[in-house]
Amino acid sequence: MDAQGRGRAENIDPADQWVLNPDTGDYELRLSPSAGQSSVPGPRRSASRQGGRGRPAPGRERPRRDERDEQREVPVQRRRRVKEPEPAPAGRRKQKPRKSKGKKVLIWTGGTLAFLLVAGCTGGYLYYQHLNDNITSINDDGAGTGGFSKDRAINILVMGTDKRSGDGNKGYGDEGSAGHADTTILLHVSKDRTNATALSIPRDMITDIPDCPTTMDDGTKKTIPGSQNVRFNESLGQFDRTPSCTMRTVTKITGIKLDHFMVADFNAVKTLSSAVGGVEVCLAKDIDDPKSHLKLGKGKHTIEGEEALAFVRTRHSVGTGGDLSRIELQQQFLSALMRKLKSNDTLTNPKKMIDLAEAGTKALTVDSTIADIMKLRDLGMELGKLDMKNLSFATLPVIDNPNEKVHTTVVPDPAKSEQLFAMMRADESLTEVKKKEKKEKAAVAARLKGPKADASEVRVDIYNGSGKTGAAQTTLTWLQNNEGVLKSSQLGNAPSDIKKTTLEYAPDQADQARRLADIMGLPAAALKPGKSEKNAQGLPAMKLTLGGDFKGAGVPISAPAKAPEGIQKVEADKTVCAK
């Protein structure tokens, strides 16, 4: 192939070579027989395999230009083989073609890549390698779980940094800054994938940052000392802190262990919004913010690139002009971006999907445990099961910092924030999720229904399987002195630590079990019908074993049934006009 021919092959848009297979419902990469090398990004074949650079392989003549065009339109080489359907037996209906799996494609955090990983030919493999090379990763330094799992809830920390260095990030003032945790969202996806909560953590919230074991750029390890009573955004960038330090800080605040992190810079908002062809947002009033350079009139707008970045950076012209108002804009933008990603306009457009894969792998930095396209695809397929109507954006409840005369920072609202964290830890949704309750679940829930004995009639032996020293004794003291459960005793440690608190009881003790569950805030699943044991006086007694979910005497073990009143919340499937 001559220089002109090579230029033609290299200018072919990869999206043009992805073809919908009507038999499988999947897109496949099909290359023309005239292409001496794959036109998708990736390493090129050596000249020896092509018969030498600039000339056809031995035994072959260079096709005329019109022949090359014709061959490109009717690909026959490297085509992914499609098994011919076997004829249906007599009397049976033919099977319908499989439906596309496109609906399972995830939000912008990685699932858009799933579409591209049809590595059934050399070109697909090369593109896989190319996308892998795009990924930037950082060690999580043991701050995470080691990776998500399909059989439990998923927790991902999504961070936006205001770091000014790097391509596409300059020109926003304070160039050369190490950056901060400017935008932080804890995404919790339930174990059954029916619901999710995206919790925004205000950057100006005062908190403690723990000591952070950190792998430095040169491979050496050191522990970066923690800080007390500082802004949350100092958990990233400052004093060489990496995303793993932000992970540790969030776990310390919420009690939730994280699986992964993803970090986006200024460039990510620009490239991702452009890749989908713009994101529709709504304003309840005109905005002219000279600091973010956003100028938009009242109503709906489709924004992308620099304008999209200006939108998520704006705060002075909306709400109270503070960071909490800016968080509302960011939540609106992300909700709209997710809706666009899940739309048929995106899922059925190969060029958009490839543009998203390129933008996502270049603009996002991930933890090293997931720095592989196949792992990102698996994560994307899990998160893609989520229904948008059950995804809620919320903001960590805060109050003005009481230690300031002029309020510039905030602190967590102790009651409301702990209630919200408890719901997330217990996998409770902030939206009403309609589930088909199985008979077994209904039977478990029924254990709490029925008459309750008086506290003075409850007879129980307490064992400590929580791993917390003295838990059984403190619970006994609390029950006797505060709740009137006088027929109680503690029998020391259980044979081994257990994860969940349990209450075992005989059928004739069900009314006692319901009373104790009410007093201690035990969930229905903690009640285990069975048989009673004899206490020290030889009388039948229930057996209460405190587990790892035990937080302290008088602290309910079951999570709140609903979110605290007045929290800032946006449901992802609804369009909200910013005020």
Side-chain angles (χ1 to χ4, degrees):
M1 183 180 291
D2 56 21
Q4 183 179 356
R6 283 201 309 275
R8 176 182 173 82
E10 291 174 356
N11 287 332
I12 295 174
D13 192 327
D16 294 338
Q17 296 180 302
W18 288 88
V19 181
L20 179 65
N21 186 327
D23 294 319
T24 65
D26 292 333
Y27 283 93
E28 299 172 358
L29 182 61
R30 299 182 180 179
L31 306 179
S32 71
S34 63
Q37 60 186 24
S38 169
S39 66
V40 296
R44 298 175 179 171
R45 295 186 178 211
S46 63
S48 61
R49 295 187 63 183
Q50 300 178 48
R53 185 182 297 274
R55 63 180 184 274
R60 294 180 59 187
E61 294 183 0
R62 182 184 296 115
R64 295 191 305 272
R65 180 170 182 175
D66 57 345
E67 291 177 345
R68 290 201 304 269
D69 290 345
E70 181 179 355
Q71 288 170 340
R72 180 172 178 269
E73 293 172 359
V74 187
V76 296
Q77 187 181 16
R78 298 191 188 93
R79 178 178 297 178
R80 186 180 179 183
R81 293 187 178 182
V82 180
K83 188 176 180 181
E84 294 294 332
E86 297 180 2
R92 291 178 59 186
R93 295 180 180 178
K94 293 183 179 180
Q95 291 185 347
K96 294 181 180 181
R98 246 185 341 161
K99 292 183 179 181
S100 171
K101 295 181 180 178
K103 291 294 184 181
K104 291 186 177 180
V105 177
L106 169 69
I107 58 177
W108 67 280
T109 51
T112 53
L113 308 179
F115 163 87
L116 295 158
L117 301 176
V118 190
C121 60
T122 303
Y125 175 74
L126 294 179
Y127 196 53
Y128 159 80
Q129 291 291 83
H130 165 72
L131 291 178
N132 258 350
D133 291 341
N134 282 349
I135 298 173
T136 301
S137 66
I138 299 177
N139 200 311
D140 76 349
D141 298 307
T145 62
F148 77 95
S149 174
K150 294 182 179 181
D151 59 356
R152 57 179 171 81
I154 298 174
N155 295 292
I156 302 172
L157 195 64
V158 182
M159 291 171 273
T161 175
D162 57 359
K163 185 176 181 179
R164 265 67 173 179
S165 60
D167 292 341
N169 299 309
K170 298 179 180 179
Y172 300 102
D174 194 20
E175 288 191 25
S177 167
H180 303 77
D182 195 50
T183 299
T184 306
I185 297 175
L186 168 55
L187 175 64
H188 170 85
V189 183
S190 67
K191 178 180 177 179
D192 62 7
R193 312 296 187 247
T194 61
N195 65 89
T197 299
L199 182 67
S200 295
I201 303 176
R203 67 176 188 179
D204 294 326
M205 185 181 76
I206 298 298
T207 190
D208 293 340
I209 299 174
D211 293 346
C212 297
T214 304
T215 302
M216 309 308 291
D217 290 340
D218 60 3
T220 60
K221 298 180 182 295
K222 76 172 185 178
T223 297
I224 300 174
S227 303
Q228 287 69 49
N229 295 316
V230 295
R231 280 178 165 86
F232 171 81
N233 67 354
E234 292 186 22
S235 64
L236 177 66
Q238 305 304 298
F239 308 103
D240 292 328
R241 290 181 177 126
T242 65
S244 67
C245 195
T246 309
M247 289 181 81
R248 295 183 194 278
T249 305
V250 171
T251 296
K252 182 179 178 66
I253 293 169
T254 64
I256 298 172
K257 187 81 169 179
L258 303 169
D259 298 305
H260 301 288
F261 68 73
M262 294 183 176
V263 184
D265 55 17
F266 284 142
N267 204 38
V269 175
K270 294 187 289 185
T271 56
L272 288 169
S273 61
S274 296
V276 296
V279 175
E280 185 180 273
V281 296
C282 181
L283 296 175
K285 64 177 183 179
D286 296 344
I287 289 183
D288 187 358
D289 188 345
K291 292 193 175 182
S292 69
H293 307 295
L294 179 68
K295 187 173 183 178
L296 289 174
K298 177 182 177 180
K300 293 182 178 180
H301 302 271
T302 298
I303 58 175
E304 63 178 278
E306 290 287 351
E307 194 170 42
L309 177 59
F311 185 86
V312 299
R313 294 183 66 221
T314 290
R315 62 188 178 96
H316 296 287
S317 300
V318 292
T320 60
D323 186 49
L324 296 180
S325 296
R326 187 183 66 150
I327 286 175
E328 289 187 67
L329 279 184
Q330 293 171 347
Q331 292 174 344
Q332 182 196 144
F333 176 83
L334 288 174
S335 297
L337 176 59
M338 291 177 190
R339 289 195 297 272
K340 187 66 175 286
L341 285 170
K342 298 279 273 188
S343 69
N344 288 332
D345 179 54
T346 300
L347 295 178
T348 59
N349 188 320
K351 186 178 188 308
K352 284 187 179 180
M353 300 299 287
I354 289 177
D355 288 346
L356 278 167
E358 291 287 347
T361 52
K362 288 178 181 178
L364 299 176
T365 297
V366 300
D367 64 273
S368 53
T369 63
I370 201 172
D372 179 85
I373 292 298
M374 299 305 288
K375 291 181 180 178
L376 284 172
R377 181 210 53 184
D378 290 343
L379 175 61
M381 296 305 287
E382 281 302 299
L383 301 184
K385 298 173 183 177
L386 177 68
D387 192 327
M388 286 286 291
K389 67 182 180 183
N390 293 329
L391 169 60
S392 299
F393 283 90
T395 303
L396 194 155
V398 293
I399 56 175
D400 287 334
N401 187 348
N403 296 320
E404 294 178 335
K405 291 183 178 179
V406 178
H407 297 300
T408 58
T409 61
V410 293
V411 296
D413 182 316
K416 290 184 178 181
S417 61
E418 181 50 43
Q419 184 177 346
L420 189 55
F421 301 155
M423 289 187 69
M424 295 175 69
R425 291 193 296 262
D427 239 8
E428 292 288 343
S429 174
L430 299 188
T431 60
E432 293 184 8
V433 181
K434 294 182 179 179
K435 303 178 184 178
K436 293 182 179 178
E437 195 174 58
K438 296 181 180 179
K439 291 182 179 179
E440 308 90 79
K441 290 185 177 181
V444 170
R447 294 172 190 169
L448 292 176
K449 298 175 182 178
K452 300 179 181 68
D454 189 86
S456 62
E457 298 301 318
V458 174
R459 184 179 283 111
V460 60
D461 290 337
I462 307 169
Y463 293 84
N464 183 14
S466 69
K468 301 177 178 67
T469 303
Q473 182 57 51
T474 56
T475 300
L476 175 67
T477 302
W478 175 74
L479 285 174
Q480 291 183 342
N481 295 344
N482 295 69
E483 301 298 327
V485 183
L486 302 178
K487 296 177 182 179
S488 53
S489 59
Q490 71 92 3
L491 300 181
N493 292 333
S496 61
D497 291 348
I498 61 173
K499 292 183 178 180
K500 301 287 186 180
T501 297
T502 59
L503 177 62
E504 299 175 55
Y505 59 96
D508 61 351
Q509 296 171 319
D511 56 343
Q512 295 182 46
R514 286 190 285 267
R515 173 58 66 193
L516 188 61
D518 185 56
I519 292 172
M520 295 191 63
L522 299 178
L527 274 60
K528 304 295 181 184
K531 60 182 181 179
S532 62
E533 61 178 28
K534 301 284 185 172
N535 65 6
Q537 290 75 38
L539 299 172
M542 297 185 297
K543 180 181 178 182
L544 174 66
T545 306
L546 303 176
D549 55 355
F550 174 77
K551 303 176 185 65
V555 180
I557 291 175
S558 60
K562 61 179 182 178
E565 295 291 335
I567 66 167
Q568 182 173 304
K569 188 175 72 167
V570 174
E571 294 180 7
D573 65 327
K574 294 181 174 62
T575 300
V576 179
C577 294
K579 299 178 181 179

